[in-house]
Amino acid sequence: MPKLPNPVDFAVPVFILLIVIEMAWARRKAPQKYEPRDTLVSLAFGLGSTVAGLLFGGAIYGLMLWLWEHRLATVPWTWWAWVLCFVLDDLLYYLFHRSAHRVRWFWASHVNHHSSQHYNLSTALRQTWTGWLALSFLFKLPLAFAGFHPAMILFCGGVNLIYQFWIHTEAIKRFPRWFEAVMNTPSHHRVHHATNPRYLDSNYAGVFIVWDRMFGTFVPEVDEEPIRYGIVRQLGTFNLLYAVFHEWIGIAKDVWHAPWQHKLSYLWRPPGWTHDGSRDTSDTIRARWQARQMAEPAE
Amino acid sequence: MEGVWIDLAKFGVSLVSILALAWLARWLDLGGDERIRSADQARFLANAAIEGFEPVDIALDKAGIGALLRDAQGRQMLLRRHGAAWVARLLDERTEARLDRGFLTIGTGEKTFGAVTLHLGEAAGVWAAGLRRLPTAGAKRA
């Protein structure tokens, strides 16, 4: 089996070039789409995540290899296996991503990607440092156990990540209907990054938006409503370390103060859940918004 | 060992690249100078920050960098600029509220969020009094 390179390494110069182009676009069209300090934080997230990958990637790859050695079947190193691996990896990405928004332990890591109030190509590089702690790699393991070689799985995951870079932009409005129907696009992913109640917890897709359509989590972008980006409780700081660890700190505090019978719930229940109902989850926010919509007749 | 040097070189190049991009964003003057221009805008931002927050009383900073808002339930919100965006916090327990003539400095109890000084003019005293009437953190927990 050939040793495969990390495709992301080759994509990085293109990422940088596209960010420069988007900055030039923002200067002409909407300077507020970028904020220099926010950009620096996002890019520092990206750099830190590559360091975390170097530190923990070897162990995760080792675990995948071990599982592959105890595999259920052997998937050959052939073209259809690559296609199948890519599609199944994207399905598992959907599951990972949905869990990352619905389980606080996973969210504590994934929140990093959402904590910018801007939506531009630098936001795409706002990747977590603590994915290993959140156990995100668990979602990669089934394919290795099924018989796909870990090198193939990680290569497909890299291509998936590269695809997701360019959809983090407001510079592209919409693609032809057939493309929007099948693929994840800037329009679909803007919805995913929105904090507007109508959009919360939707469009989890990586490459193929069909997963959201299949599993009932698809929400289309509504042109009449401006999108607000970020998280429900915006950070309000450009402090990088706080941005990286704030949700982990929040979990630790909540578990410490919670009554014994509720401690574990702060780990696995949705973000915002509290035993006394003192905070909002995305469900309660959306319910309140829906109630207001029902009460106020459309103008 | 060679792999380590390659990784270090990649790290160095990446670090230089991100600093260059951040510098470019600043050089291009991206970010703009966002201000709250009207009570309607403050109302919109407040509702965007906390779903269902409908202010009935609004005090705008004279320079437009923030606002204090109160809704019909008596909840008070601090809204302030954050780069080219806006952030808000509900002020539901007593924290810093320092009055200096028309200027009111408000703390949220969050170190990373920091304190905000708003120029509210004559309204500053009324809002300071309102903030001082909030329960203390200990009283709230009890």
Side-chain angles (χ1 to χ4, degrees):
Chain A
M1 232 152 278
K3 187 174 174 351
L4 296 174
N6 180 357
V8 179
D9 286 348
F10 296 95
V12 167
V14 181
F15 290 170
I16 293 170
L17 181 66
L18 289 174
I19 289 173
V20 171
I21 291 170
E22 192 189 40
M23 280 183 183
W25 167 83
R27 182 178 161 78
R28 281 180 45 238
K29 299 280 186 184
Q32 74 280 6
K33 300 291 184 194
Y34 267 90
E35 152 63 45
R37 286 167 291 177
D38 174 82
T39 303
L40 183 58
V41 170
S42 292
L43 297 175
F45 260 110
L47 182 58
S49 78
T50 61
V51 175
L54 288 173
L55 292 176
F56 300 102
I60 292 167
Y61 189 69
L63 178 60
M64 290 173 77
L65 269 180
W66 181 83
L67 275 173
W68 183 75
E69 281 161 8
H70 299 82
R71 60 193 175 274
L72 295 173
T74 299
V75 179
W77 192 267
T78 185
W79 70 268
W80 61 261
W82 279 94
V83 174
L84 188 61
C85 184
F86 187 81
V87 173
L88 291 177
D89 178 66
D90 195 51
L91 171 60
L92 288 173
Y93 177 84
Y94 171 87
L95 296 175
F96 149 74
H97 199 187
R98 192 165 171 173
S99 311
H101 281 260
R102 301 297 298 170
V103 177
R104 196 178 177 198
W105 184 262
F106 296 148
W107 172 245
S109 159
H110 185 62
V111 65
N112 295 165
H113 180 61
H114 284 271
S115 61
S116 170
Q117 290 181 255
H118 297 268
Y119 188 77
N120 54 48
L121 292 174
S122 76
T123 313
L125 302 180
R126 200 177 175 101
Q127 296 292 326
T128 183
W129 297 8
T130 56
W132 55 274
L133 178 60
L135 309 177
S136 313
F137 59 88
L138 292 179
F139 292 85
K140 293 279 179 199
L141 303 182
L143 286 183
F145 188 54
F148 290 92
H149 193 278
M152 184 186 279
I153 299 166
L154 292 184
F155 192 90
C156 288
V159 174
N160 193 310
L161 195 69
I162 292 168
Y163 180 87
Q164 290 189 48
F165 171 77
W166 72 277
I167 59 178
H168 289 82
T169 185
E170 292 188 277
I172 297 170
K173 197 158 175 60
R174 288 230 172 71
F175 280 92
R177 195 181 293 179
W178 68 266
F179 193 78
E180 296 279 346
V182 179
M183 305 301 288
N184 198 7
T185 62
S187 173
H188 299 327
H189 206 57
R190 283 194 287 271
V191 165
H192 176 68
H193 275 256
T195 60
N196 311 43
R198 73 162 75 232
Y199 293 144
L200 289 173
D201 288 348
S202 59
N203 297 6
Y204 298 112
V207 172
F208 301 116
I209 197 69
V210 290
W211 308 124
D212 285 287
R213 295 183 192 276
M214 278 170 63
F215 298 122
T217 49
F218 176 71
V219 176
E221 186 178 22
V222 178
D223 289 333
E224 294 73 36
E225 185 172 318
I227 290 184
R228 306 184 294 270
Y229 298 104
I231 49 181
V232 168
R233 192 174 196 269
Q234 308 287 8
L235 289 182
T237 177
F238 294 114
N239 181 319
L240 174 64
L241 291 178
Y242 182 75
V244 171
F245 296 110
H246 70 98
E247 191 66 20
W248 293 111
I249 295 168
I251 288 179
K253 283 182 178 170
D254 285 339
V255 170
W256 179 262
H257 291 296
W260 278 102
Q261 70 270 31
H262 295 300
K263 285 188 188 297
L264 279 178
S265 292
Y266 281 95
L267 305 182
W268 66 267
R269 286 189 187 262
W273 177 89
T274 52
H275 69 280
D276 57 3
S278 58
R279 291 180 219 149
D280 283 325
T281 64
S282 53
D283 295 330
T284 59
I285 293 169
R286 191 167 38 246
R288 202 161 61 229
W289 172 77
Q290 280 168 339
R292 285 209 318 145
Q293 298 299 304
M294 300 282 275
E296 294 171 12
E299 288 175 17
Chain B
M1 194 61 199
E2 191 190 348
V4 174
W5 286 111
I6 290 171
D7 288 337
L8 281 174
K10 277 191 209 168
F11 180 86
V13 171
S14 299
L15 184 61
V16 170
S17 301
I18 69 169
L19 291 173
L21 284 172
W23 172 82
L24 182 65
R26 193 172 288 278
W27 186 71
L28 291 172
D29 207 19
L30 299 178
D33 182 20
E34 294 290 304
R35 306 277 172 149
I36 300 176
R37 310 275 179 202
S38 66
D40 276 348
Q41 188 188 355
R43 188 171 288 114
F44 173 81
L45 292 170
N47 189 248
I50 294 175
E51 169 57 31
F53 191 95
E54 292 289 353
V56 293
D57 198 2
I58 300 172
L60 297 182
D61 173 73
K62 303 284 184 203
I65 60 158
L68 277 169
L69 309 97
R70 185 182 296 116
D71 73 356
Q73 300 164 48
R75 295 185 302 172
Q76 299 181 79
M77 176 192 282
L78 169 65
L79 186 63
R80 74 153 168 83
R81 194 165 65 165
H82 175 58
W86 298 92
V87 287
R89 290 291 185 268
L90 276 183
L91 303 169
D92 53 1
E93 57 187 45
R94 195 187 308 167
T95 51
E96 182 183 3
R98 197 155 27 90
L99 184 63
D100 181 8
R101 281 171 285 183
F103 291 87
L104 180 58
T105 300
I106 307 132
T108 58
E110 275 181 66
K111 202 155 61 171
T112 50
F113 193 89
V116 185
T117 299
L118 300 180
H119 185 192
L120 303 178
E122 289 177 2
V126 178
W127 283 92
L131 293 174
R132 286 170 187 154
R133 277 196 294 273
L134 290 169
T136 58
K140 208 175 145 219
R141 269 196 287 275

